[in-house]
């Protein structure tokens, strides 16, 4: 059977998204109807012109970013998805893709533009819900503490990261962070349920391990809660000890007064509801001295695509050591500045710092 001849020009122009074909010098070769409609120009006004000849009212910063992305694609031959851009009241997602010639040189650039305004509005609803469910920063047991939450930049959905600080009887507090798998309102809702449950059980459970056992049982009844990671600690100022337990979560960091950093990694079990059958969990205890700093965080702070986890942990330890004279609020800002990439993060980040 003879294969039908494909009219690729007709396919390109019928694409539902707004797309344009450019030379590596950013000159239009073609644009489909959706792209021309968004641009407000006719084909005759566009073809053969430079990409930015037709956007005299464009924001200068956006123009520079689009140019930089397209030039990067032309030079490297690798696709690039830009962070979301805002123009007026509308948000846009732009992806630039190389089209290679037979000798593997970049012959053309495919520039795809998609409006993301409605998705961003939905994300803002989820983010507001999530922030409303997180506790405000406050001193605990008369000890200064700082909290930070940073949503992913350029993502269309908020994630399920959370933190909590709970006053316990005596001179004790519980500090926890967690990360729900998934995105959007569903993840934010699961996050709220698990945070509230852990906050309640921490007040009556005999230690962090038992608190995570109970939370794990509860997670089995909550749709979307499976494989949630949690690290929880109990700080006791009478005994100068920290007792901790982790459900598959990155280890808390304990920075000593001399700048040395210990990662609390001796009590790690699988994430919540990850095991076929429910089981007991382990905990460990370490001493601390006045002036030490305890840091809990979610994986958005340390993990980077294609990078070993130990590299991120080393970055965190280095930052904690360099800023050991800082108060918790200053230290929190310094850590975020040191560890978060300047072009934004792809995963949410929660951070809690307590001076002991």
């Amino acid at each position: 059977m003879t294969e039908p001849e494909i009219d690729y020009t007709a396919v390109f122009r019928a694409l539902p998204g707004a797309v344009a074909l450019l030379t590596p010098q950013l000159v239009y070769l073609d644009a489909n109807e959706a792209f021309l409609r968004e641009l407000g120009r006719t084909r005759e006004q566009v073809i053969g012109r430079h990409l930015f000849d037709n956007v005299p009212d464009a924001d200068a910063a956006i123009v520079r970013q689009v140019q930089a992305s397209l030039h990067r694609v032309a030079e490297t031959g690798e696709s690039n998805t830009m962070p979301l851009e805002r123009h007026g009241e509308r948000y846009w997602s732009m992806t630039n893709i190389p089209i290679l010639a037979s000798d593997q040189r970049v012959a053309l650039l495919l520039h795809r533009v998609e409006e993301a305004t409605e998705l961003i509005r939905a994300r803002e609803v989820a983010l507001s819900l999530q922030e409303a469910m997180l506790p405000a920063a406050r001193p605990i047991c008369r000890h200064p503490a700082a909290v930070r939450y940073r949503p992913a930049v350029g993502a269309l959905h908020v994630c399920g990261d959370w933190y909590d600080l709970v006053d316990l009887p005596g001179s004790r507090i519980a500090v926890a962070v967690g990360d729900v798998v998934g995105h959007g309102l569903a993840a934010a809702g699961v996050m709220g349920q698990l945070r509230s449950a852990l906050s309640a059980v921490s007040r009556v459970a005999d230690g962090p391990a038992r608190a995570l056992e109970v939370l794990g049982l509860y997670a089995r009844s909550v749709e979307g809660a499976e494989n949630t990671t949690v690290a929880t600690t109990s700080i006791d100022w009478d005994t100068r000890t920290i007792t901790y337990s982790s459900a598959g979560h990155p280890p808390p960091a304990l920075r000593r007064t001399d700048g040395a950093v210990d990662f609390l990694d001796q009590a790690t079990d699988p994430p919540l509801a990850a095991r076929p059958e429910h089981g007991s969990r382990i905990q460990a205890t370490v001493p601390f001295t006045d002036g030490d700093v305890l840091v809990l965080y979610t994986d958005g702070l340390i993990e980077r695509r294609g990078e070993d986890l130990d590299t991120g942990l080393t970055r965190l330890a280095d930052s904690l050591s360099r800023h050991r004279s800082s108060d918790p609020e200053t230290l929190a800002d310094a850590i975020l500045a040191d560890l978060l990439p300047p072009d934004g993060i792809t995963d949410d980040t929660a951070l809690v710092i307590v001076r002991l």
Side-chain angles (χ1 to χ4, degrees), residues 253-324:
L254 179 60
R255 193 204 65 201
R256 305 296 186 174
T257 54
D258 63 359
V261 175
D262 298 327
F263 286 103
L264 309 186
D265 57 3
Q266 299 303 302
T268 299
D269 278 326
L272 301 182
R275 291 185 285 206
E277 296 183 0
H278 179 72
S280 60
R281 291 185 176 272
I282 60 174
Q283 65 184 31
T285 300
V286 295
F288 70 83
T289 59
D290 290 345
D292 288 351
V293 170
L294 179 66
V295 180
L296 286 83
Y297 53 92
T298 55
D299 56 9
L301 184 70
I302 58 169
E303 289 187 356
R304 300 293 175 267
R305 184 175 299 174
E307 184 179 87
D308 188 89
L309 180 62
D310 287 341
T311 302
L313 293 175
T314 299
R315 264 198 308 267
L316 174 58
D318 290 345
S319 180
L320 286 169
S321 296
R322 286 200 313 274
H323 303 291
R324 61 178 177 270

